């Protein structure tokens, strides 16, 4: 089945120790997104890739970086995790971006829950 | 002012009840509207898109009121499995991805 896959589902890291979260998709969608979601809050968009074009949100800290080596994979790198970075990280994809509701529908992976000790 | 606002709830309703959620959005240029469902510690999943004419999918009905800038979700004959958080999602802007999430409305259906 076509889907969005995230690994690992749970990640424990130490304060200041770099960590990488991965996302892959079999949907062949052009756009991939990374969101941060904290408890009882809405998902917060960190950045997205439209094909190879990287689009950073203005308020995303420099501590967060991303790579998209090919259509299927996208990585979230947290260079120096702080306690405040503990959250669920959601990867999502959409076929395209534009004005059509169908093309903008986002499909989410199961998320990676990050714990910072 | 937030782009998208929802009553966080919780809504506790008995099985079989009808429940309605509203969501308001602040930007009149908003173009696409969705309801997502998110179970505890799981990812959001698309429940339904919301079209100008309103749309229905089984027990779920979504409506859009552009004049008043709100969308609604009606759930009839609530099931225990409907217990979840319902996220209102709105897109703004043409050509770029600007997706705004509400903080969600939590529903618990009680036996």
């Amino acid at each position: 089945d076509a889907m969005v896959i995230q690994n690992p589902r749970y990640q424990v890291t130490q304060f200041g120790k770099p960590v990488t979260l991965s996302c892959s998709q079999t949907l062949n969608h052009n756009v991939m997104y990374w969101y941060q979601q904290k408890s009882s809050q809405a998902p917060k968009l960190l950045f997205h890739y439209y094909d190879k074009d990287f689009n950073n949100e203005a308020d995303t800290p420099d501590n967060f970086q991303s790579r998209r080596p090919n259509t299927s994979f996208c990585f979230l790198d947290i260079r120096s995790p702080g306690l405040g970075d503990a959250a669920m990280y959601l990867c999502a994809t959409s076929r395209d971006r534009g004005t059509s509701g169908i093309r903008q529908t986002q499909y989410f992976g199961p998320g990676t829950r990050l714990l910072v000790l | 002012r937030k782009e998208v606002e929802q009553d966080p709830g919780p809504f506790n309703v008995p099985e079989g009840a009808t429940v309605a959620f509203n969501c308001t959005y602040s930007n009149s240029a908003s173009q696409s509207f969705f309801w997502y469902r998110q179970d505890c510690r799981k990812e959001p999943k698309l429940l339904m898109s919301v079209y100008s004419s309103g749309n229905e999918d089984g027990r779920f009905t979504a409506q859009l009121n552009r004049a008043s800038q709100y969308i609604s979700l009606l759930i009839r004959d609530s099931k225990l499995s409907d217990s979840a958080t319902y996220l209102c999602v709105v897109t703004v802007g043409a050509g770029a991805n600007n997706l705004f999430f509400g903080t969600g409305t939590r529903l618990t259906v009680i036996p």
Side-chain angles (χ1 to χ4, degrees):
Chain A
D1 290 339
M3 58 176 61
V4 182
I5 303 160
Q6 288 187 247
N7 286 304
R9 294 293 305 277
Y10 298 89
Q11 176 73 56
V12 181
T13 190
Q14 292 177 328
F15 183 93
K17 185 176 180 181
V19 66
T20 294
L21 309 182
S22 72
C23 176
S24 63
Q25 53 126 344
T26 60
L27 297 161
N28 203 32
H29 281 175
N30 289 322
V31 195
M32 295 186 78
Y33 311 80
W34 279 104
Y35 289 86
Q36 179 193 67
Q37 187 177 26
K38 296 187 177 180
S39 181
S40 301
Q41 295 184 19
K44 179 181 180 300
L45 182 64
L46 297 174
F47 25 60
H48 76 276
Y49 271 95
Y50 179 66
D51 195 15
K52 296 179 182 178
D53 182 28
F54 178 70
N55 298 268
N56 199 26
E57 294 300 300
D59 57 353
T60 298
D62 292 340
N63 198 27
F64 292 88
Q65 303 287 322
S66 187
R67 297 169 282 137
R68 189 178 185 187
N70 54 52
T71 300
S72 301
F73 286 87
C74 195
F75 300 97
L76 169 62
D77 300 309
I78 309 176
R79 293 193 297 189
S80 181
L83 298 179
D85 296 328
M88 171 79 92
Y89 289 88
L90 294 162
C91 174
T93 72
S94 66
R95 190 185 306 172
D96 210 332
R97 60 182 189 185
T99 59
S100 165
I102 295 173
R103 295 178 78 78
Q104 279 183 317
T105 303
Q106 293 192 9
Y107 298 89
F108 286 83
T112 294
R113 187 166 292 279
L114 179 68
L115 181 64
V116 181
L117 302 179
Chain B
R1 184 181 174 186
K2 292 182 182 178
E3 290 281 351
V4 180
E5 298 207 54
Q6 293 182 251
D7 181 345
F11 285 66
N12 299 315
V13 302
E15 241 182 317
T18 296
V19 61
F21 309 135
N22 283 336
C23 163
T24 58
Y25 59 94
S26 61
N27 193 326
S28 59
S30 299
Q31 296 174 299
S32 300
F33 309 89
F34 308 90
W35 283 103
Y36 277 76
R37 170 197 170 126
Q38 187 171 26
D39 292 289
C40 187
R41 294 181 174 268
K42 297 285 184 66
E43 75 275 23
K45 290 185 178 178
L46 179 66
L47 181 65
M48 56 199 309
S49 302
V50 187
Y51 303 120
S52 296
S53 55
N55 46 305
E56 186 174 313
D57 182 4
R59 297 181 295 109
F60 299 85
T61 301
Q63 290 193 316
L64 167 64
N65 185 319
R66 285 192 183 271
S68 301
Q69 295 183 201
Y70 78 83
I71 64 175
S72 64
L73 177 67
L74 181 77
I75 305 175
R76 290 181 297 279
D77 189 22
S78 300
K79 309 291 185 191
L80 297 178
S81 57
D82 294 334
S83 298
T85 296
Y86 291 84
L87 298 166
C88 173
V89 181
V90 172
T91 65
V92 180
N97 183 73
N98 288 310
L99 201 75
F100 294 92
F101 284 81
T103 52
T105 297
R106 188 169 175 181
L107 171 67
T108 301
V109 180
I110 304 165

